[in-house]
Amino acid sequence: MMDIAIYSLVDDMVSKAGTEGVVEYWLRVGESYAERMGKEAYVGWPAFNVAMKEGRTSLTVEGEVNVLTDLAIIDKDGDVIGYVYALKTCPMAPTMRRYISRIGPIPDSDTDVADSYNNRIRDSAVSNYCITHQKFREVAANNITVAKQALECLQLANKGMTGDVKMVPENLARINVDERHIKSILRSASCVFALIVKGKSAGEEIIE
């Protein structure tokens, strides 16, 4: 019943507040959820990555996250300023599958809300639920420090139920990772993001 209810809720919200209103609502939900998780501090990247692997950080509440240690992000001085991470399965994927198998196609309101977000804010949502998840990670990352340095989350790419992929070129450029590498990661993941020291960017060499 909850699978039906959650999509009925989105339909009802769109009819009352419009797609832009639903986008703003999901953004508030993501922000509020992240703020409730509290602050975290780690002595360095190894400690933080262990916490990610073991599911001990707020950024793993969505599900299992693969720490891609081969994709360390290096700044122009040769210092590690972050890593790339892959969420194995979208937390909404089981709900979507059950809805499709029991009810039918996902309602158009899902795409309508995602399109509103993509057109007005950032072209990175393959579902309306991406809005909350991406906002959650952005705010949660701001509440985490590694070696006393604040973090920020960069959405890199995600993959929808039908295989459609969204890339964020400006974020890939900031960490100097080739999109072909990210596409290969998406073969076994739903969402790929980077966590880096706030305000930092990678050096000039592109990781392929």
Side-chain angles (χ1 to χ4, degrees), residues 34-158:
E35 291 292 358
R36 292 177 185 175
M37 302 300 289
K39 296 186 180 297
E40 302 173 29
Y42 300 89
V43 295
W45 285 105
F48 176 70
N49 284 337
V50 168
M52 288 287 280
K53 290 177 181 178
E54 296 182 352
R56 293 189 282 106
T57 168
S58 60
L59 288 167
T60 56
V61 297
E62 296 178 299
E64 182 181 351
V65 175
N66 290 331
V67 180
L68 305 176
T69 51
D70 60 321
L71 281 179
I73 303 166
I74 311 296
D75 68 8
K76 62 181 180 180
D77 297 320
D79 296 323
V80 174
I81 59 169
Y83 285 88
V84 174
Y85 303 85
L87 179 66
K88 187 173 182 180
T89 304
C90 171
M92 289 302 298
T95 293
M96 292 178 179
R97 293 191 189 99
R98 284 192 295 269
Y99 188 97
I100 291 169
S101 66
R102 297 174 184 176
I103 307 300
I106 299 296
D108 291 341
S109 57
D110 179 74
T111 301
D112 293 342
V113 174
D115 287 345
S116 176
Y117 175 84
N118 291 336
N119 292 331
R120 294 189 305 112
I121 298 175
R122 182 178 62 205
D123 190 14
S124 62
V126 294
S127 165
N128 87 100
Y129 302 112
C130 295
I131 300 168
T132 293
H133 300 158
Q134 292 176 24
K135 185 64 174 181
F136 167 80
R137 286 194 292 266
E138 289 172 6
V139 177
N142 290 336
N143 289 329
I144 297 173
T145 59
V146 172
K148 298 182 179 180
Q149 295 180 300
L151 301 186
E152 64 178 302
C153 181
L154 302 179
Q155 175 67 22
L156 301 180
N158 52 357

Side-chain angles (χ1 to χ4, degrees), residues 22-33:
V22 178
V23 168
E24 295 305 317
Y25 173 75
W26 284 139
L27 289 172
R28 290 194 301 271
V29 169
E31 182 175 5
S32 176
Y33 185 26

